[in-house]
Amino acid sequence: MSARRSTDNCLEAARPDKSTMGSMAVIGPAANDTSKLGGGYTGGRLPETWHPESCTRIPMNDMHMRAYPSRDYPGRTYRFYTGDIIYGFGHGLSYSTFSYHFLSVPGRILGGADGRRGLHDFVLVDEIPSCEALKFYVTFSVANKGDMDGSHVAMLFPRVPWEFKGAPMKQLIGFTRVHTESHKAAAASILVDTCKHLSLVNDQGTRILPLGAH
């Protein structure tokens, strides 16, 4: 007779820490034992995009960021890529679900620079008197809706002004890791640098700050 030993299997990938988004997958019987995860779980998000094999047909010497549909070029980085994906930038695994609620967001920001009028209004970032004075914090709560304590990576994105030619599809402002207890909420803040995070480089290579809602 032969004896078969039962072994808990745990597959872990890209263990995150407090300063990175990271990504983590725990699969198998060990996934049900939270004591092996330090009494809770560590959620994570992909800091990159996972592409299908078809992506290898894109010429490696073409490093244009923006997509060019006329020549079947999908662009590069999560900000401009328009092709097929397997898992997108910011995708993550978690044993719980979360909800967000903004606690503090400025209603209006005044930059002191003259706006350029045209099809869409904007100001040149180089003409803003003080970018330091336009920095602010966005404060929000993260509510853990599940039955397990753990950490969650919250990401903040602005509303991208699609009407500006050359604008990215999305643009990360920042992220923070928040530890949340089961069925409770925790507050967190992310610093927003208006001149950096809410601006964009147009198709002429000029950094501009679109006026209006973000």
Side-chain angles (χ1 to χ4, degrees):
M1 296 179 63
S2 62
R4 178 176 296 177
R5 178 179 297 177
S6 177
T7 303
D8 285 346
N9 297 313
C10 180
L11 173 63
E12 178 183 335
R15 186 177 183 88
D17 59 34
K18 293 182 179 179
S19 62
T20 62
M21 290 196 299
S23 58
M24 182 177 182
V26 179
I27 304 172
N32 297 321
D33 186 356
T34 60
S35 65
K36 297 181 181 181
L37 300 177
Y41 68 88
T42 304
R45 295 182 184 272
L46 283 177
E48 58 196 16
T49 300
W50 287 14
H51 303 89
E53 185 178 359
S54 59
C55 187
T56 59
R57 296 195 295 267
I58 302 173
M60 291 300 296
N61 60 348
D62 192 336
M63 298 304 295
H64 287 91
M65 292 291 104
R66 293 172 175 81
Y68 288 90
S70 60
R71 54 187 178 88
D72 198 28
Y73 179 73
R76 292 192 182 276
T77 78
Y78 79 95
R79 298 171 67 237
F80 298 103
Y81 181 75
T82 59
D84 295 331
I85 63 172
I86 299 176
Y87 296 109
F89 172 84
H91 177 84
L93 298 174
S94 177
Y95 289 104
S96 186
T97 57
F98 299 86
S99 64
Y100 307 93
H101 177 69
F102 285 111
L103 300 176
S104 176
V105 181
R108 189 178 184 185
I109 302 172
L110 299 177
D114 294 331
R116 303 299 175 94
R117 299 291 178 177
L119 183 60
H120 307 293
D121 298 339
F122 64 92
V123 297
L124 298 177
V125 171
D126 288 343
E127 295 181 357
I128 296 177
S130 174
C131 285
E132 190 67 26
L134 298 183
K135 293 181 179 180
F136 61 92
Y137 280 94
V138 171
T139 304
F140 54 93
S141 66
V142 180
N144 185 343
K145 302 293 186 179
D147 297 326
M148 296 176 60
D149 298 351
S151 69
H152 175 69
V153 177
M155 306 169 69
L156 181 64
F157 293 87
R159 183 183 294 114
V160 176
W162 291 92
E163 62 271 17
F164 285 86
K165 188 176 181 180
M169 297 177 59
K170 58 182 177 180
Q171 180 167 288
L172 179 68
I173 290 178
F175 67 91
T176 185
R177 182 176 294 280
V178 184
H179 180 79
T180 56
E181 297 182 16
S182 172
H183 299 290
K184 292 184 178 180
S189 296
I190 293 178
L191 177 65
V192 179
D193 184 336
T194 299
C195 292
K196 177 181 179 181
H197 297 139
L198 302 184
S199 66
L200 60 90
V201 176
N202 62 18
D203 59 334
Q204 298 178 356
T206 303
R207 181 164 291 279
I208 62 174
L209 178 63
L211 301 179
H214 285 267

mmCIF file of all heavy atoms in Angstrom, residues 135-152:
data_model
loop_
_atom_site.group_PDB
_atom_site.id
_atom_site.type_symbol
_atom_site.label_atom_id
_atom_site.label_comp_id
_atom_site.label_asym_id
_atom_site.label_seq_id
_atom_site.Cartn_x
_atom_site.Cartn_y
_atom_site.Cartn_z
ATOM 1 N N LYS A 135 -1.554 72.844 -5.561
ATOM 2 C CA LYS A 135 -1.592 71.469 -5.059
ATOM 3 C C LYS A 135 -2.672 71.334 -3.985
ATOM 4 O O LYS A 135 -2.913 72.255 -3.214
ATOM 5 C CB LYS A 135 -0.237 71.066 -4.480
ATOM 6 C CG LYS A 135 0.874 70.966 -5.516
ATOM 7 C CD LYS A 135 2.186 70.536 -4.870
ATOM 8 C CE LYS A 135 3.298 70.420 -5.900
ATOM 9 N NZ LYS A 135 4.584 70.002 -5.280
ATOM 10 N N PHE A 136 -3.313 70.179 -3.938
ATOM 11 C CA PHE A 136 -4.344 69.947 -2.929
ATOM 12 C C PHE A 136 -4.481 68.445 -2.680
ATOM 13 O O PHE A 136 -4.002 67.619 -3.463
ATOM 14 C CB PHE A 136 -5.693 70.525 -3.380
ATOM 15 C CG PHE A 136 -6.234 69.914 -4.650
ATOM 16 C CD1 PHE A 136 -7.087 68.813 -4.618
ATOM 17 C CD2 PHE A 136 -5.884 70.439 -5.891
ATOM 18 C CE1 PHE A 136 -7.578 68.249 -5.781
ATOM 19 C CE2 PHE A 136 -6.374 69.875 -7.067
ATOM 20 C CZ PHE A 136 -7.224 68.783 -7.012
ATOM 21 N N TYR A 137 -5.135 68.108 -1.583
ATOM 22 C CA TYR A 137 -5.384 66.710 -1.241
ATOM 23 C C TYR A 137 -6.835 66.346 -1.532
ATOM 24 O O TYR A 137 -7.745 67.139 -1.281
ATOM 25 C CB TYR A 137 -5.094 66.440 0.239
ATOM 26 C CG TYR A 137 -3.631 66.253 0.551
ATOM 27 C CD1 TYR A 137 -2.852 67.331 0.962
ATOM 28 C CD2 TYR A 137 -3.032 65.003 0.429
ATOM 29 C CE1 TYR A 137 -1.503 67.165 1.245
ATOM 30 C CE2 TYR A 137 -1.688 64.828 0.713
ATOM 31 C CZ TYR A 137 -0.931 65.907 1.119
ATOM 32 O OH TYR A 137 0.407 65.740 1.396
ATOM 33 N N VAL A 138 -7.023 65.154 -2.070
ATOM 34 C CA VAL A 138 -8.350 64.565 -2.192
ATOM 35 C C VAL A 138 -8.476 63.521 -1.082
ATOM 36 O O VAL A 138 -7.672 62.591 -1.005
ATOM 37 C CB VAL A 138 -8.552 63.905 -3.570
ATOM 38 C CG1 VAL A 138 -9.854 63.098 -3.594
ATOM 39 C CG2 VAL A 138 -8.570 64.954 -4.669
ATOM 40 N N THR A 139 -9.459 63.707 -0.216
ATOM 41 C CA THR A 139 -9.673 62.786 0.898
ATOM 42 C C THR A 139 -10.940 61.982 0.651
ATOM 43 O O THR A 139 -11.961 62.533 0.226
ATOM 44 C CB THR A 139 -9.797 63.555 2.226
ATOM 45 O OG1 THR A 139 -8.624 64.361 2.411
ATOM 46 C CG2 THR A 139 -9.928 62.598 3.398
ATOM 47 N N PHE A 140 -10.870 60.692 0.899
ATOM 48 C CA PHE A 140 -11.998 59.806 0.618
ATOM 49 C C PHE A 140 -12.015 58.662 1.619
ATOM 50 O O PHE A 140 -11.032 58.416 2.329
ATOM 51 C CB PHE A 140 -11.902 59.254 -0.811
ATOM 52 C CG PHE A 140 -10.588 58.591 -1.111
ATOM 53 C CD1 PHE A 140 -10.419 57.225 -0.935
ATOM 54 C CD2 PHE A 140 -9.508 59.339 -1.560
ATOM 55 C CE1 PHE A 140 -9.205 56.618 -1.198
ATOM 56 C CE2 PHE A 140 -8.281 58.742 -1.826
ATOM 57 C CZ PHE A 140 -8.130 57.375 -1.648
ATOM 58 N N SER A 141 -13.134 57.977 1.700
ATOM 59 C CA SER A 141 -13.240 56.807 2.564
ATOM 60 C C SER A 141 -13.329 55.553 1.708
ATOM 61 O O SER A 141 -13.883 55.571 0.607
ATOM 62 C CB SER A 141 -14.471 56.906 3.474
ATOM 63 O OG SER A 141 -15.666 56.865 2.709
ATOM 64 N N VAL A 142 -12.762 54.472 2.217
ATOM 65 C CA VAL A 142 -12.808 53.168 1.565
ATOM 66 C C VAL A 142 -13.550 52.222 2.497
ATOM 67 O O VAL A 142 -13.100 51.972 3.618
ATOM 68 C CB VAL A 142 -11.395 52.626 1.278
ATOM 69 C CG1 VAL A 142 -11.474 51.263 0.605
ATOM 70 C CG2 VAL A 142 -10.613 53.607 0.411
ATOM 71 N N ALA A 143 -14.698 51.723 2.066
ATOM 72 C CA ALA A 143 -15.516 50.846 2.899
ATOM 73 C C ALA A 143 -15.344 49.397 2.470
ATOM 74 O O ALA A 143 -15.493 49.068 1.288
ATOM 75 C CB ALA A 143 -16.987 51.249 2.808
ATOM 76 N N ASN A 144 -15.009 48.548 3.424
ATOM 77 C CA ASN A 144 -14.847 47.115 3.183
ATOM 78 C C ASN A 144 -16.212 46.441 3.358
ATOM 79 O O ASN A 144 -16.758 46.397 4.458
ATOM 80 C CB ASN A 144 -13.831 46.545 4.177
ATOM 81 C CG ASN A 144 -13.517 45.082 3.923
ATOM 82 O OD1 ASN A 144 -14.251 44.380 3.235
ATOM 83 N ND2 ASN A 144 -12.418 44.613 4.487
ATOM 84 N N LYS A 145 -16.758 45.909 2.275
ATOM 85 C CA LYS A 145 -18.086 45.299 2.303
ATOM 86 C C LYS A 145 -18.050 43.807 2.614
ATOM 87 O O LYS A 145 -19.101 43.170 2.718
ATOM 88 C CB LYS A 145 -18.774 45.505 0.946
ATOM 89 C CG LYS A 145 -18.932 46.963 0.530
ATOM 90 C CD LYS A 145 -19.888 47.702 1.424
ATOM 91 C CE LYS A 145 -20.152 49.113 0.903
ATOM 92 N NZ LYS A 145 -21.112 49.849 1.744
ATOM 93 N N GLY A 146 -16.855 43.241 2.747
ATOM 94 C CA GLY A 146 -16.733 41.798 2.930
ATOM 95 C C GLY A 146 -16.582 41.374 4.375
ATOM 96 O O GLY A 146 -16.655 42.191 5.302
ATOM 97 N N ASP A 147 -16.330 40.075 4.575
ATOM 98 C CA ASP A 147 -16.232 39.488 5.909
ATOM 99 C C ASP A 147 -14.794 39.299 6.376
ATOM 100 O O ASP A 147 -14.559 38.675 7.407
ATOM 101 C CB ASP A 147 -16.945 38.127 5.925
ATOM 102 C CG ASP A 147 -18.433 38.247 5.649
ATOM 103 O OD1 ASP A 147 -19.021 39.269 6.064
ATOM 104 O OD2 ASP A 147 -19.002 37.335 5.017
ATOM 105 N N MET A 148 -13.818 39.812 5.615
ATOM 106 C CA MET A 148 -12.417 39.640 5.970
ATOM 107 C C MET A 148 -11.716 40.986 6.059
ATOM 108 O O MET A 148 -11.965 41.881 5.252
ATOM 109 C CB MET A 148 -11.700 38.767 4.927
ATOM 110 C CG MET A 148 -12.209 37.340 4.835
ATOM 111 S SD MET A 148 -11.378 36.433 3.500
ATOM 112 C CE MET A 148 -9.682 36.533 4.058
ATOM 113 N N ASP A 149 -10.833 41.124 7.061
ATOM 114 C CA ASP A 149 -9.967 42.294 7.132
ATOM 115 C C ASP A 149 -8.898 42.172 6.049
ATOM 116 O O ASP A 149 -8.535 41.072 5.632
ATOM 117 C CB ASP A 149 -9.276 42.382 8.493
ATOM 118 C CG ASP A 149 -10.256 42.548 9.644
ATOM 119 O OD1 ASP A 149 -11.454 42.765 9.365
ATOM 120 O OD2 ASP A 149 -9.821 42.445 10.798
ATOM 121 N N GLY A 150 -8.374 43.294 5.613
ATOM 122 C CA GLY A 150 -7.300 43.233 4.636
ATOM 123 C C GLY A 150 -6.953 44.602 4.099
ATOM 124 O O GLY A 150 -7.542 45.615 4.483
ATOM 125 N N SER A 151 -5.974 44.645 3.204
ATOM 126 C CA SER A 151 -5.554 45.911 2.611
ATOM 127 C C SER A 151 -6.082 46.018 1.190
ATOM 128 O O SER A 151 -6.293 45.016 0.506
ATOM 129 C CB SER A 151 -4.029 46.040 2.621
ATOM 130 O OG SER A 151 -3.446 45.126 1.716
ATOM 131 N N HIS A 152 -6.269 47.250 0.769
ATOM 132 C CA HIS A 152 -6.833 47.519 -0.554
ATOM 133 C C HIS A 152 -6.074 48.682 -1.171
ATOM 134 O O HIS A 152 -5.727 49.647 -0.485
ATOM 135 C CB HIS A 152 -8.316 47.873 -0.415
ATOM 136 C CG HIS A 152 -8.972 48.276 -1.694
ATOM 137 N ND1 HIS A 152 -9.201 47.393 -2.726
ATOM 138 C CD2 HIS A 152 -9.439 49.484 -2.113
ATOM 139 C CE1 HIS A 152 -9.797 48.032 -3.725
ATOM 140 N NE2 HIS A 152 -9.944 49.294 -3.379
#
